[in-house]
Amino acid sequence: MIKLSNVDKYTEIPLILNEPYEKIEHEIEKNFSDSICFDDVIISRHPKKIKIWDIKKLPQINMISSFEIDWSGEFIKKNGNLLYVGQSKEIKVFDISDLQHPVLVRTVTFPNDDSLPTNNYVNFHITKGLIYVMIDKAIYVIDETNNFLKIIDLSENSAMMFDYPMDIKKYGNNLYMVFRHCGLYVYQQSEHDRKYKFLSKHKPVNGYTPTYMQWLNQGNDILLIGNDNVVQYNVTNGEKLKRYKAAKIGKSEIHGGTIERENELLVVGTKGSKDQFVTAIIQQDNKGIQLVNTPKLEYKARKKFGEGISGLALKDNYLLIIGRETGFFLFEARE
C-alpha cells in the first residue's frame, strides 16, 4: 500500500456498480446530498432515499439495501448502530445493526408552535444518547424521551444576530460551535447547576471561517475544514484557544471531511469555475498541520461545469470520491 505522502497521482479506473433498477420521477432523485463511510460501508443520502453500499471488493460496489425518506433535509449522522436522518421538522433514527434490514426505532418531532422556530434548523450532534441541535439562534438538547430543552440562547450575543451556525461538537462538559463569520465558540456546562456559560471564541482576522469540525485528537485538537484551508486549534484549555497556521490547499473549496492513515490526512475538494476535483495530504507536527503533498487527479468530468463532493472513502490504494450529481468516481494511487 502506497504511503499517502508518496502518491504522485490518482488515476480514474472503471468500477462495477451493482444497483437494482428503480424507476424515478425526477433526475434530481439520483443526487447524493450527504454520505458517511465506515468499515467498508458507505451510506448515502438522496432526495427520497437512503442507500447502503458495500465497498469491500473494489473496484466492485454493491448496494446492500435502501429505504425511503421524505424529500426535506440534508444531514445524516451515525452513532454506534444508529443512523440519524435529519429532516426539516424531525430527526428519524434507524437501527442499522442489520445493514440489509434497517429498522426505524425513533422519530424526534420538533414542537409545532412558536416556542421552537423550526424554519432555521441547521445541524446536529449526537453523544451519549442526547441530540444537540442548532435551531435558529439557539442550541437545544433532546433527551431519549424526546424532551426539548434550550441550553444556549445565541441571540444574547449581538455579533451572532446576522451570522450562521454551521457545525457543532460536544466533548466532556464543553460544547464547540463554528459560525460562518464569527468563528469558533466554546461553551462549558457547569458541574454545579448544569447550565452553560460562554468560555472563549476565536475568528480569523479576515476571510470566512472553515465551517466543518473534525477531531484530530479528541478533547485536545480540533480541525476546522472548509473554504481553501484546514486549521488546527488546540482546545485543551477551553478559555484560551490556540490556533495554528492554516494548511492552504490553494483556491479550492474543500469538502468537509478528512481520512486519516498512518498519521497523515487526506482531503479532497473542488477548484475553479468547472469544479475540478483536487486532493491534498497534510501531516501534523509540533507546528500544527502542514501541507506535504498534492497528488494529481486524472479523470474525466461527467458534467460540463463539474460538480460538488458529498463524500469520500479510502481503501488500500483506492480513493473513492462521491460526486453530488453523478455519484462514485474510483481512483487508484500511482507513485
Side-chain angles (χ1 to χ4, degrees):
M1 191 162 54
I2 303 172
K3 189 175 174 66
L4 293 177
S5 53
N6 292 334
V7 175
D8 176 62
K9 62 184 177 182
Y10 284 102
T11 301
E12 186 180 14
I13 62 172
L15 61 83
I16 303 165
L17 187 64
N18 295 318
E19 177 183 10
Y21 170 78
E22 62 177 354
K23 186 177 180 180
I24 60 173
E25 297 179 7
H26 308 283
E27 195 67 18
I28 196 174
E29 292 178 43
K30 296 180 180 179
N31 285 11
F32 290 68
S33 60
D34 195 10
S35 63
I36 52 179
C37 179
F38 61 97
D39 300 335
D40 293 335
V41 172
I42 288 176
I43 300 180
S44 58
R45 177 170 188 157
H46 307 262
K48 291 179 68 176
K49 279 195 172 183
I50 297 292
K51 297 182 180 181
I52 303 177
W53 310 87
D54 181 354
I55 61 168
K56 266 196 221 66
K57 298 179 180 178
L58 290 176
Q60 186 170 293
I61 300 176
N62 300 309
M63 195 173 85
I64 300 172
S65 63
S66 68
F67 56 91
E68 292 191 359
I69 57 172
D70 294 339
W71 274 90
S72 60
E74 180 180 356
F75 297 105
I76 53 174
K77 310 274 186 179
K78 179 180 175 293
N79 188 258
N81 289 323
L82 297 178
L83 179 70
Y84 293 72
V85 179
Q87 300 183 164
S88 63
K89 294 189 177 184
E90 63 183 15
I91 297 172
K92 289 190 174 179
V93 186
F94 295 85
D95 185 334
I96 55 170
S97 302
D98 181 351
L99 294 173
Q100 292 184 321
H101 303 97
V103 177
L104 178 65
V105 294
R106 178 184 175 192
T107 299
V108 180
T109 302
F110 295 0
N112 189 21
D113 56 45
D114 293 337
S115 67
L116 192 64
T118 57
N119 58 321
N120 286 319
Y121 156 54
V122 181
N123 205 342
F124 61 93
H125 172 77
I126 310 107
T127 183
K128 296 181 179 178
L130 300 176
I131 304 173
Y132 295 82
V133 61
M134 311 171 88
I135 303 175
D136 197 57
K137 300 298 179 186
I139 307 298
Y140 295 80
V141 62
I142 309 167
D143 66 19
E144 293 176 336
T145 60
N146 293 351
N147 289 318
F148 281 72
L149 176 65
K150 183 190 288 189
I151 56 173
I152 300 174
D153 187 351
L154 300 174
S155 64
E156 296 173 353
N157 186 328
S158 60
M160 293 181 182
M161 286 303 295
F162 303 101
D163 203 358
Y164 305 94
M166 302 298 291
D167 202 0
I168 182 171
K169 292 278 187 246
K170 177 82 162 52
Y171 183 79
N173 289 331
N174 287 359
L175 197 64
Y176 305 88
M177 293 173 283
V178 64
F179 292 79
R180 186 67 170 154
H181 301 281
C182 290
L184 178 63
Y185 274 68
V186 184
Y187 283 77
Q188 187 174 76
Q189 187 177 31
S190 166
E191 293 282 5
H192 173 63
D193 59 12
R194 311 307 293 168
K195 292 183 179 179
Y196 282 83
K197 67 173 183 177
F198 168 76
L199 273 190
S200 62
K201 65 178 181 177
H202 189 278
K203 71 172 184 175
V205 176
N206 48 48
Y208 292 125
T209 305
T211 53
Y212 175 88
M213 291 190 289
Q214 179 174 310
W215 285 110
L216 181 61
N217 305 299
Q218 196 169 45
N220 296 314
D221 293 280
I222 202 165
L223 298 178
L224 268 58
I225 306 164
N227 304 325
D228 67 345
N229 61 86
V230 181
V231 181
Q232 177 184 344
Y233 277 89
N234 183 280
V235 296
T236 306
N237 181 351
E239 294 182 313
K240 191 174 182 180
L241 305 176
K242 180 180 180 181
R243 181 186 187 274
Y244 293 88
K245 185 177 180 181
K248 289 190 172 288
I249 315 304
K251 298 181 180 179
S252 303
E253 182 65 33
I254 300 174
H255 167 69
T258 71
I259 294 179
E260 182 178 1
R261 176 186 284 174
E262 297 178 348
N263 297 318
E264 297 179 328
L265 297 170
L266 180 143
V267 298
V268 298
T270 56
K271 184 175 184 177
S273 60
K274 293 188 176 181
D275 279 341
Q276 181 181 2
F277 294 159
V278 294
T279 186
I281 312 301
I282 56 181
Q283 285 180 342
Q284 182 186 21
D285 60 24
N286 58 5
K287 295 181 180 178
I289 52 172
Q290 310 290 326
L291 178 64
V292 295
N293 189 18
T294 53
K296 302 184 194 77
L297 282 178
E298 296 181 337
Y299 76 106
K300 183 178 181 180
R302 300 170 190 163
K303 292 287 184 177
K304 183 177 180 180
F305 296 105
E307 59 187 305
I309 295 172
S310 76
L312 71 157
L314 196 62
K315 179 173 173 59
D316 302 326
N317 285 327
Y318 293 115
L319 168 63
L320 193 63
I321 295 177
I322 305 174
R324 283 191 174 273
E325 295 180 64
T326 65
F328 300 113
F329 290 77
L330 183 62
F331 299 85
E332 191 168 20
R334 305 274 195 265
E335 285 188 285

